[in-house]
Amino acid sequence: MSEPDVPQEGPVVNLAAAEVEETVTQSTPGYHEDEDAELHMAIRMSLEGPDAETTEDTMGDNIPIDEEAQAELYQALFLSNLPPDMCDEQIAELHQTRVNEVNSAQDVLDIFNSTKHLLESGEPDSVSKFMEIMHQATGLVPDGSDVKASLVQVLSDIEFEIKAVELHHSAVQLMKDFQESGDQTVIDNAVQHMEEVIEHTPDGHTELKAERLSSLGDAFQCRFEHLGELGDIKNAILVKQQAVDLTPDGDDQKAARLSHLANAFSRQFERLGELRDIENAILLNQQAVNMTPDGHADKAAWLNNLGAAFQIQFDRLGKLRDIENAILFKQRAVDLTPDNAGFLNNLGSAFQSRFEHLGKLADIENAITHKQQAVNLTSDGEAHKAAWLNNLGNAFRSRFERLGELGDIENAIFFNQQAVNLTPDGDAHKVAWLNNLGIAFQSRFERLGELEDIKNAILVKQQAVDLTPDDHAQKAAWLSNLGNAFKSRFERLGELGDIDCAILVNQRVVDLTPDDHVHKAAWLNNLGITFQCRFECLDKLEDIENAIHVKQEAVDLTPDGHAQKAAWLSNLGSAFQSRFKRLGKLGDIENAIFFNQQAVDLTLDDHAQKAAHLTNLRNAFQSHFEHFGKLGDIENAILFMQQAVDLTPDGHAQKAAWLGNLGNAFFYRFNRLGELRDIDHAILVKQQAVDLTPDGHAGKAAQLSTLGVAFQSRFEHLGELKDIDHAILLKQQAVDLTPDGHAQKAAWLGNLGNAFFYRFNRLGELRDMENAILVKQQAVDLTPDGHAGKAAKLNNLGIAFQ
């Protein structure tokens, strides 16, 4: 019995973790932290008028003022600019001035200009005291004069500006609150406040208008990242573009606003996948870098953001030059600020991304090193400690999936758990850390097969789903990962409730995701995989029909050049192959070969997934051979599987699996031609697969059982007792390693029963026949009614009784 070949599943899309990796340095809002400073700026603008050069030329609505009235106005303005501790003295002097003769308006203007800087004194309660002085100064001007009217208008404008500033700061605080709570009403209020502020900010106040437009853009973007509504990210881009346009070249804020706009384009690209958005993001970030001189405090941030944009484009197109640029610019950011934890973390993210593409161990080592430095530089109380711990855990998990070393997955769980523990309930990031912890538990389960791990994976992923409101943009991602965990447990226990849950959850993911969403294809692909999984258990044609349908949709939605196109093609080919095994229609196996060949052709030799796509192509050719018996098919199967083995370095976690599949291909050719060298090769490479699979690995029993099948086949050909003895020994080990309740326990028992049966036929010893009947009966009893393999096991048991 050959080892089952599992189709390559698309990567679990972990949107939240990816967002957090760039959070610290990607275009955080440039708000005024000092409310008095903003008020002073707004008030001075109101006093001067939007286009005024000097106060002596214009006032209010350009009302002409005579020299004496102008002197009184300047005296009032002079008072308004004094610090609070001078108020009483200056008001007294003003009363005296009303009595005495004023020599000239210019005298007062000179005093006003010389004391203008006092407005920025920053004294406590300076705003309220300033308004008190302004009201008193207005009261000293004679009623009915043009100056009085102008001062009243100016005072009204100032009071409005104070209200606008208060609204603005209230909105900023609401945004901070929303980041922690995720409460939609909070961000809605923040957006509403900021829109009111913009509406009442005069167009002539370009600096203030640009600052407030930028803040409004950040609020729109913040809401988009919560709800995923396209209108919000489009509005964010619109108002951030306005802020950029209002900011002249040479302004200190120009680079920051370009970077903020670039970040919004990146977010829109991540939602829609349209290349022009990420191209705009790269262009704008490059402009921000170019206009920022070396030595500027923000140079590193703009370099980091430029690197982030290149990394996002790499994830979409898979072009190595993009990830090389990402590493280059992020490295420059780190070099400029070597102790910045955020930049170190983000550089580690870029190294990890290249590792997952090329599989070079040096990259994941660098990723872990830099992310560990980020963690070490951040104390437990700092805001981003949990994020850095989470990302470090993800890097360890990535290395575990490459090398299979248990220490790495233990570290992954440890750091992901720390991230969860450090994050209070109610924090918007908690669900992302829970989700990633669940993925780590699932990875360890798939390595060791311990049921406690998959139970924990489902538990924490369910928590992530439950904590996320239905209208949240990340709800679909968390649901998809939960569905993946249910499928994994089904493959271990074979309980139909789990695969039904997996299909139900993945269907909900697809239903929640609009067709223009960049991840729609991934969710369709995962739904197709779960349908195919249930088909292979229950043999219901509607499941494989659904699998092909939704996987085809995934392919059709994915543009040529997309980094995941090959994966979706390979998975579609796997579904056609599965239906071919059921119906035997030539068109299905031809489609399987066609789509798998496309996947191989689209994948460069140095890509980490090349071997997997070659394996799936080998599967298709082998199925074609099994049905039609054409030698060219099995030759191709061996050729492609050998390429997969050769492309996989020693120490890779998949090396044993590829060797086992190569052994299967030799085994099938032996059954067709009967040449001893093929069965010898099959046993040789399958033995290597067993030797490379550590004790405790969930796949060890499968490797042992299929090696036993190869020994049994050679015994049937040569009749040497040592081969059937080896077969029984290996198959018994497979059974002993497989816990009761495992979905494959019945298969291994059936294989063991076959070996006992063949030795009975050779030696005629009754105990072998008794053992054959015993274990075959156990296999039948363990196979639930309705399972596709139940009839075959009953038939084999009947033969043994005969």
Side-chain angles (χ1 to χ4, degrees), residues 177-305:
D177 294 343
F178 171 74
Q179 292 288 359
E180 295 181 0
S181 69
D183 185 345
Q184 183 185 339
T185 58
V186 174
I187 190 63
D188 287 344
N189 287 334
V191 171
Q192 183 180 353
H193 286 354
M194 287 186 176
E195 286 179 319
E196 287 182 41
V197 171
I198 294 297
E199 189 177 329
H200 294 96
T201 303
D203 290 338
H205 294 171
T206 55
E207 181 180 356
L208 194 60
K209 187 101 169 182
E211 180 65 32
R212 291 172 176 176
L213 283 165
S214 183
S215 296
L216 175 59
D218 290 326
F220 276 126
Q221 184 171 331
C222 190
R223 188 166 68 181
F224 164 75
E225 289 168 1
H226 180 77
L227 299 178
E229 295 289 340
L230 278 175
D232 281 331
I233 195 61
K234 291 185 181 300
N235 281 332
I237 290 171
L238 176 66
V239 296
K240 289 187 179 192
Q241 183 67 65
Q242 290 174 346
V244 166
D245 295 341
L246 285 174
T247 308
D249 293 339
D251 189 290
D252 287 344
Q253 293 300 313
K254 183 80 170 188
R257 287 169 190 159
L258 285 164
S259 184
H260 294 177
L261 177 59
N263 186 43
F265 274 115
S266 291
R267 291 294 181 262
Q268 183 165 271
F269 170 74
E270 290 170 349
R271 169 64 171 77
L272 295 177
E274 295 182 2
L275 285 175
R276 67 174 179 267
D277 284 330
I278 196 61
E279 289 167 354
N280 281 331
I282 290 172
L283 176 65
L284 292 162
N285 275 310
Q286 187 69 66
Q287 289 177 341
V289 168
N290 293 344
M291 69 172 48
T292 306
D294 293 338
H296 191 285
D298 292 325
K299 182 83 170 190
W302 311 152
L303 285 163
N304 172 79
N305 291 347

Side-chain angles (χ1 to χ4, degrees), residues 272-508:
L272 295 177
E274 295 182 2
L275 285 175
R276 67 174 179 267
D277 284 330
I278 196 61
E279 289 167 354
N280 281 331
I282 290 172
L283 176 65
L284 292 162
N285 275 310
Q286 187 69 66
Q287 289 177 341
V289 168
N290 293 344
M291 69 172 48
T292 306
D294 293 338
H296 191 285
D298 292 325
K299 182 83 170 190
W302 311 152
L303 285 163
N304 172 79
N305 291 347
L306 177 57
F310 274 116
Q311 185 173 341
I312 291 169
Q313 182 166 268
F314 167 75
D315 291 338
R316 166 66 165 76
L317 299 177
K319 293 181 178 178
L320 279 176
R321 68 171 180 267
D322 286 330
I323 196 62
E324 300 292 349
N325 280 330
I327 291 172
L328 172 67
F329 290 117
K330 290 187 177 188
Q331 184 67 64
R332 286 175 60 188
V334 167
D335 292 342
L336 286 174
T337 51
D339 291 334
N340 186 298
F343 296 157
L344 285 162
N345 172 79
N346 294 342
L347 177 58
S349 169
F351 276 119
Q352 183 174 338
S353 191
R354 187 168 70 179
F355 164 74
E356 289 166 359
H357 184 84
L358 297 179
K360 293 182 178 178
L361 284 174
D363 282 332
I364 196 62
E365 301 290 349
N366 278 327
I368 290 172
T369 297
H370 287 102
K371 292 186 177 189
Q372 184 70 66
Q373 286 178 308
V375 167
N376 294 343
L377 284 169
T378 311
S379 64
D380 287 346
E382 291 187 49
H384 294 287
K385 180 74 173 221
W388 306 158
L389 286 163
N390 172 76
N391 294 340
L392 178 58
N394 293 346
F396 275 114
R397 176 166 52 85
S398 189
R399 187 169 69 180
F400 166 74
E401 290 167 357
R402 166 67 167 77
L403 297 178
E405 295 182 1
L406 283 175
D408 283 333
I409 196 61
E410 301 290 350
N411 279 330
I413 291 171
F414 174 74
F415 290 118
N416 287 142
Q417 185 69 65
Q418 278 193 306
V420 168
N421 295 345
L422 279 178
T423 308
D425 293 339
D427 190 294
H429 295 112
K430 183 109 176 185
V431 292
W433 311 156
L434 285 164
N435 176 74
N436 290 341
L437 175 59
I439 293 172
F441 276 124
Q442 184 174 335
S443 286
R444 188 168 68 181
F445 164 74
E446 290 168 358
R447 166 69 165 76
L448 297 178
E450 297 286 343
L451 282 175
E452 193 65 24
D453 281 331
I454 196 61
K455 288 179 182 176
N456 283 330
I458 291 172
L459 175 66
V460 295
K461 288 184 179 187
Q462 186 68 64
Q463 286 180 311
V465 167
D466 294 341
L467 287 171
T468 307
D470 287 342
D471 58 1
H472 194 285
Q474 295 302 318
K475 184 80 169 190
W478 308 153
L479 281 165
S480 179
N481 291 340
L482 176 60
N484 187 49
F486 278 120
K487 181 179 77 71
S488 188
R489 187 167 69 179
F490 167 75
E491 292 169 344
R492 166 67 167 76
L493 296 178
E495 294 182 0
L496 286 176
D498 282 332
I499 195 62
D500 289 341
C501 280
I503 290 172
L504 182 66
V505 168
N506 278 304
Q507 184 66 65
R508 188 178 172 201

Side-chain angles (χ1 to χ4, degrees), residues 751-772:
N751 287 348
L752 177 58
N754 290 341
F756 279 124
F757 181 77
Y758 275 100
R759 191 165 69 179
F760 168 76
N761 286 339
R762 172 71 167 77
L763 298 177
E765 294 185 1
L766 187 58
R767 64 180 179 180
D768 283 331
M769 178 52 70
E770 290 172 346
N771 283 330

Side-chain angles (χ1 to χ4, degrees), residues 442-677:
Q442 184 174 335
S443 286
R444 188 168 68 181
F445 164 74
E446 290 168 358
R447 166 69 165 76
L448 297 178
E450 297 286 343
L451 282 175
E452 193 65 24
D453 281 331
I454 196 61
K455 288 179 182 176
N456 283 330
I458 291 172
L459 175 66
V460 295
K461 288 184 179 187
Q462 186 68 64
Q463 286 180 311
V465 167
D466 294 341
L467 287 171
T468 307
D470 287 342
D471 58 1
H472 194 285
Q474 295 302 318
K475 184 80 169 190
W478 308 153
L479 281 165
S480 179
N481 291 340
L482 176 60
N484 187 49
F486 278 120
K487 181 179 77 71
S488 188
R489 187 167 69 179
F490 167 75
E491 292 169 344
R492 166 67 167 76
L493 296 178
E495 294 182 0
L496 286 176
D498 282 332
I499 195 62
D500 289 341
C501 280
I503 290 172
L504 182 66
V505 168
N506 278 304
Q507 184 66 65
R508 188 178 172 201
V509 170
V510 168
D511 294 341
L512 282 173
T513 308
D515 287 341
D516 61 1
H517 195 288
V518 72
H519 294 301
K520 180 82 170 198
W523 306 154
L524 285 163
N525 174 75
N526 289 347
L527 175 60
I529 289 170
T530 53
F531 274 125
Q532 183 174 341
C533 193
R534 188 168 70 180
F535 165 74
E536 290 168 357
C537 175
L538 298 181
D539 202 32
K540 291 183 179 178
L541 276 176
E542 63 180 335
D543 281 332
I544 196 62
E545 300 289 349
N546 284 330
I548 290 172
H549 175 70
V550 295
K551 287 186 179 187
Q552 184 70 64
E553 280 190 90
V555 168
D556 294 342
L557 281 176
T558 307
D560 294 337
H562 192 288
Q564 293 301 319
K565 183 88 171 191
W568 308 158
L569 285 163
S570 185
N571 289 342
L572 176 59
S574 171
F576 274 113
Q577 181 186 340
S578 192
R579 188 170 70 179
F580 168 74
K581 289 180 178 179
R582 170 68 166 75
L583 299 178
K585 291 183 178 179
L586 182 61
D588 282 336
I589 195 60
E590 288 176 344
N591 277 330
I593 291 172
F594 173 73
F595 289 121
N596 278 302
Q597 185 69 65
Q598 278 191 307
V600 167
D601 294 341
L602 285 174
T603 309
L604 299 175
D605 285 345
D606 59 2
H607 193 287
Q609 292 302 311
K610 181 80 169 193
H613 297 330
L614 283 163
T615 297
N616 289 345
L617 178 58
R618 159 260 171 188
N619 294 345
F621 273 113
Q622 188 167 304
S623 284
H624 197 275
F625 167 75
E626 291 170 17
H627 192 81
F628 297 103
K630 294 181 179 179
L631 280 176
D633 289 330
I634 198 62
E635 300 291 347
N636 280 329
I638 291 171
L639 173 67
F640 291 126
M641 203 61 242
Q642 186 67 63
Q643 288 178 0
V645 168
D646 294 341
L647 283 173
T648 308
D650 293 337
H652 193 289
Q654 293 300 317
K655 184 84 169 190
W658 303 159
L659 283 164
N661 289 342
L662 177 59
N664 289 343
F666 281 122
F667 177 79
Y668 277 101
R669 188 167 70 180
F670 167 74
N671 286 340
R672 171 70 168 77
L673 298 178
E675 294 184 2
L676 280 174
R677 63 179 180 179

